[in-house]
């Protein structure tokens, strides 16, 4: 049995971040990864999706200028060449990551990790099993695409996000079940590539984690671009029929498309982990339960998607830094994430830091909102992307959240994060000098705009 100071299960953003910090501090680290270093984010999630969206971004810019009648022309995207570029980039980055970790002294095991006793991990690889022992274990196993009865990918015409990212040609039509970030971003890309897109969302509105007004503005933009949105529509059955995807809704509506994407959320990679052998507990949804210190059991930590707190790559990295510092004795207090930033990318973007107005209302808080339209911003006018707005959510006189919807608003995320974290208000905002002209200015306009009291429905 090989012994290490720390064994890390999962080579995604959380696992590799913890491995790097611990190894650079002189600790012996084993990293167990079943498939590919970089995890879902690098290989079949955030990064390839953004590369696809980056390729079609000039189309949105051209269309915006065409609407103002100052430019015309055509841009053709070579889908096969784009897929080759994405594949080479992700594969190369994954290999580079492996070399970098190895150079720091991290021992990498390719295989599936399993708990067999406190402090002990069994690695199942193609050439057999290896048992490892360590004082500390970090679970950073991530998550996978979720599926439900009647909505299970068959990898023929009914696809998950990994299937769709690796598809060889652009489908003539695509029905997407689920209007979270994954469904919206892939719908945006394939719409730009010429697919007829239909989005079906069971929640009352698309982008269900956002406020209703943000979702409504996004829906208007999608529909203007030819995307059909069915909100409050529950899918009953999805299958391949005669070489096409056939979706049946609970109300009996049948939607046919060349392909279908199931994007109904994520599920933790805890199946077969046998985490109970380390003393861990799983909740009803299969996530590893943790305390305020991200501990799942004595000397066992869980970071990233597997603990279910926030399913975002940057949250996994942030948690991993805390856990690594805790193992090194450099952090003793409870884990504090601070305001969490999130974005939905595409021609029409959504950005939010902190809480939504509707979530605060459900908590019984007093809520006010101030907002500014993107049409007031000279940079938005210059690009032709004037639809949308930025809004500031207030509670008890403090900024509880900042959200935006519109072209390029993901670039506002760090401005919003720092303003909230540092406790800025309309009274002390003058301490910061905003450059002019920039898109950032619209955030300050939103903060300084008149507040309107929001009442629960």
């Amino acid at each position: 049995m090989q012994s290490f100071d720390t064994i890390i299960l999962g080579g995604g953003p959380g696992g590799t971040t913890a491995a790097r910090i611990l190894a650079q501090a002189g600790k012996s680290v084993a990293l167990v990864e079943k498939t590919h270093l970089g995890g879902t984010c690098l290989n079949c999630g955030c990064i390839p999706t953004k590369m696809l969206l980056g390729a079609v971004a000039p189309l949105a810019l051209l269309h915006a200028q065409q609407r103002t009648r100052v430019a015309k022309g055509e841009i053709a995207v070579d889908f096969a060449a784009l897929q080759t570029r994405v594949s080479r980039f992700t594969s190369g980055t994954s290999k580079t990551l492996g070399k970098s970790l190895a150079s720091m002294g991290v021992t990498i095991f390719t295989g599936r990790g399993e708990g067999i006793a406190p402090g002990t991990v069994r690695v199942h690889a193609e050439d057999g099993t290896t048992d490892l022992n360590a004082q500390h274990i970090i679970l950073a196993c991530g998550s996978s695409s979720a599926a439900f009865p009647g909505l299970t990918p068959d990898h023929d015409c009914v696809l998950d996000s990994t299937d769709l990212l690796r598809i060889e040609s652009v489908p003539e039509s695509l029905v997407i079940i689920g209007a979270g970030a994954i469904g919206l971003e892939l719908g945006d890309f394939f719409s730009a590539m010429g697919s007829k897109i239909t989005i079906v969302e069971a929640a009352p509105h698309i982008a269900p984690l956002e406020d209703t007004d943000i979702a409504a503005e996004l829906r208007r933009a999608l529909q203007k671009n030819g995307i059909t949105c069915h909100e409050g529509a529950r899918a009953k059955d999805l299958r391949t029929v005669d070489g096409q995807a056939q979706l049946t809704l609970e109300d009996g509506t049948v939607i046919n498309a060349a392909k279908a994407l199931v994007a109904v959320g994520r599920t933790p990679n805890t199946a077969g982990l046998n985490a109970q052998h380390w003393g861990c507990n799983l909740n009803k949804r299969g996530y590893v339960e943790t305390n305020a210190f991200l501990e799942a059991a004595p000397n066992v930590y869980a970071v990233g998607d597997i603990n279910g707190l926030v399913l975002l790559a940057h949250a996994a990295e942030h948690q991993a830094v805390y856990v690594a510092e805790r193992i090194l004795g450099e952090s003793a207090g409870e884990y504090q994430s601070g305001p969490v930033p999130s974005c939905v990318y595409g021609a029409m973007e959504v950005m939010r830091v902190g809480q939504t107005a509707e979530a605060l209302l459900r908590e019984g808080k007093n809520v006010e909102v101030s907002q500014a339209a993107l049409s007031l911003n000279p940079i938005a006018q210059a690009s032709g992307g004037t639809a949308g707005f930025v809004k500031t959510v207030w509670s008890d006189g403090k900024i509880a959240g900042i959200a935006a919807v519109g072209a390029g608003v993901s670039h506002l995320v760090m401005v919003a994060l720092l303003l909230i974290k540092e406790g800025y208000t309309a009274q002390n905002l003058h301490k910061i000098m905003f450059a002019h002209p920039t898109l950032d200015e619209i955030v300050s306009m939103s903060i300084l705009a008149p507040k309107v009291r929001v009442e629960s429905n």
Side-chain angles (χ1 to χ4, degrees):
M1 183 180 295
Q2 300 182 52
S3 295
F4 298 86
D5 293 319
T6 302
I7 300 171
I8 302 172
L9 278 73
T16 55
T17 296
R20 172 179 54 80
I21 294 171
L22 292 169
Q24 288 178 331
K27 299 295 184 180
S28 59
V29 179
L31 179 65
V32 181
E33 169 55 44
K34 180 176 64 175
T35 310
H36 34 219
L37 290 172
T40 296
C41 178
L42 171 62
N43 296 282
C44 50
C46 318
I47 303 307
T49 302
K50 303 312 170 288
M51 293 187 74
L52 296 181
L53 290 171
V56 297
L59 295 172
L61 291 172
L62 177 59
H63 293 160
Q65 296 299 331
Q66 285 176 329
R67 286 194 294 269
T68 64
R69 299 181 180 180
V70 300
K72 60 182 179 179
E74 294 183 0
I75 298 173
V77 177
D78 186 328
F79 185 67
L82 175 57
Q83 289 290 62
T84 298
R85 178 173 183 264
V86 171
S87 177
R88 288 176 177 172
F89 178 84
T90 55
S91 176
T93 303
S94 181
K95 291 176 182 177
T96 300
L97 178 60
K99 292 178 181 178
S100 175
L101 291 171
S103 70
M104 297 176 190
V106 176
T107 304
I108 300 173
F109 293 86
T110 301
R112 178 180 64 83
E114 175 192 11
I116 58 174
T120 305
V121 174
R122 176 162 292 166
V123 180
H124 298 267
E126 291 184 358
D127 57 353
T129 62
T130 302
D131 289 349
L132 312 176
N133 182 267
Q135 181 181 357
H136 300 283
I137 294 174
I138 300 176
L139 306 180
C141 309
S143 64
S144 302
S145 297
F148 299 105
L151 297 175
T152 302
D154 60 16
H155 312 294
D156 181 5
C157 292
V158 180
L159 312 177
D160 61 20
S161 57
T162 301
D163 297 326
L164 188 58
L165 283 169
R166 295 171 180 170
I167 199 169
E168 294 182 356
S169 60
V170 176
E172 180 181 349
S173 54
L174 176 67
V175 59
I176 298 173
I177 300 87
I182 295 171
L184 291 170
E185 291 180 3
L186 289 173
D188 185 275
F189 170 75
F190 282 100
S191 174
M193 292 298 295
S195 297
K196 179 182 178 182
I197 304 296
T198 302
I199 296 177
V200 176
E201 172 56 52
H205 59 72
I206 62 171
L209 298 181
E210 308 305 325
D211 278 332
T212 303
D213 56 349
I214 294 283
E217 186 72 21
L218 177 60
R219 183 183 65 249
R220 280 191 288 271
L222 296 179
Q223 291 175 333
K224 192 173 182 179
N225 288 333
I227 295 176
T228 300
C229 297
H230 295 274
E231 298 173 310
R234 292 190 172 275
K236 180 180 179 181
D237 183 70
L238 177 62
R239 63 184 66 197
T240 298
V241 178
D242 297 330
Q244 280 199 322
Q246 184 179 90
L247 172 65
T248 303
L249 304 182
E250 283 190 348
D251 66 4
T253 302
V254 177
I255 301 172
N256 293 299
K259 301 290 182 182
L261 167 65
V262 178
V264 292
R266 308 286 295 178
T267 187
N269 292 330
T270 49
L273 187 61
N274 287 326
Q276 71 273 15
H277 290 158
W278 298 310
C280 304
N281 294 316
L282 307 184
N283 65 18
K284 293 181 179 179
R285 299 180 61 194
Y287 292 98
V288 176
E289 295 181 340
T290 60
N291 62 17
F293 303 96
L294 299 182
E295 291 176 319
N299 296 319
V300 180
Y301 297 87
V303 302
D305 287 12
I306 200 168
N307 65 30
L309 297 179
V310 181
L311 275 65
L312 293 169
H314 46 272
E317 291 182 347
H318 194 267
Q319 293 170 18
V321 171
Y322 165 82
V323 166
E325 291 179 347
R326 184 168 175 78
I327 289 173
L328 294 172
E330 298 173 1
S331 179
E334 296 181 355
Y335 173 70
Q336 301 289 337
S337 71
V340 178
S342 65
C343 297
V344 178
Y345 296 86
M348 190 73 161
E349 298 184 336
V350 175
M351 177 281 296
R352 178 168 55 83
V353 178
Q355 294 182 280
T356 64
E358 291 167 8
L360 288 170
L361 287 172
R362 288 193 296 269
E363 295 175 7
K365 302 289 182 64
N366 293 322
V367 180
E368 293 179 304
V369 168
S370 57
Q371 70 178 54
L374 279 178
S375 59
L376 300 173
N377 184 269
I379 294 300
Q381 287 284 356
S383 66
T386 56
F389 58 88
V390 177
K391 78 172 189 177
T392 302
V393 178
W394 303 84
S395 182
D396 299 327
K398 297 180 180 179
I399 300 177
I402 297 176
V405 57
V409 298
S410 64
H411 297 292
L412 303 175
V413 69
M414 286 309 297
V415 174
L417 174 63
L418 293 174
L419 288 172
I420 296 175
K421 189 170 180 60
E422 296 303 316
Y424 282 92
T425 66
Q427 286 68 44
N428 64 3
L429 190 63
H430 70 279
K431 292 183 178 179
I432 300 174
M433 183 184 294
F434 284 81
H436 174 78
T438 63
L439 194 62
D440 294 348
E441 291 175 285
I442 198 67
V443 178
S444 65
M445 292 183 69
S446 170
I447 292 172
L448 297 172
K451 300 183 182 119
V452 177
R453 180 71 178 267
V454 180
E455 304 290 347
S456 56
N457 295 328

